[in-house]
Amino acid sequence: MAQDYVVLKEKNENGVIAINKNVFKSISEISIDDIENAIRIPSARFTKPLAVKIENNQLHITADIKVKYGSNVSATCELVQNRIYENIVFMTGFKPADVTVNVIDFEI
């Protein structure tokens, strides 16, 4: 069974500090929206364009995006990847194991 949270600090006399994977998903969505040439694909019934997986207390993020026509695809993907990674580290203090960005379509 997949985990729904990442443990930041092990249990002590005060309890356990953990972050739900929906927090990482929200941070990733905000990060994609900040990039000018990247367009976030909205979630639909059978598609999940933003996947957050937690295995062995390691965070794996996969984001499917659209890129505006005429922009540099490689630079846009690298910018999205770095922005997601940096925002998660900045806001939570947890470093993702990997961030994968897939270009699904172009926006004309």
Side-chain angles (χ1 to χ4, degrees):
M1 186 170 152
Q3 289 180 323
D4 287 336
Y5 58 89
V6 171
V7 177
L8 295 181
K9 292 190 179 180
E10 295 298 323
K11 186 174 182 176
N12 59 20
E13 65 274 356
N14 297 328
V16 177
I17 297 177
I19 298 178
N20 192 315
K21 69 180 184 178
N22 289 331
V23 172
F24 298 112
K25 185 176 179 182
S26 296
I27 293 171
S28 299
E29 288 174 348
I30 292 168
S31 300
I32 294 170
D33 290 341
D34 285 344
I35 307 299
E36 181 181 349
N37 293 326
I39 300 168
R40 183 170 46 94
I41 299 172
S43 294
R45 186 172 202 176
F46 296 110
T47 61
K48 302 294 181 206
L50 191 59
V52 178
K53 291 171 72 177
I54 299 171
E55 295 175 349
N56 299 327
N57 213 35
Q58 291 187 341
L59 180 64
H60 305 279
I61 298 173
T62 303
D64 296 340
I65 63 169
K66 290 182 182 180
V67 176
K68 288 187 180 176
Y69 183 77
S71 62
N72 186 337
V73 175
S74 179
T76 301
C77 289
E78 184 178 349
L79 189 60
V80 169
Q81 188 176 29
N82 289 338
R83 184 73 54 94
I84 290 172
Y85 182 85
E86 290 170 355
N87 283 346
I88 287 176
V89 170
F90 178 73
M91 292 182 193
T92 66
F94 190 79
K95 293 183 180 178
D98 59 39
V99 177
T100 306
V101 178
N102 301 319
V103 176
I104 301 300
D105 199 4
F106 290 95
E107 185 77 20
I108 297 176

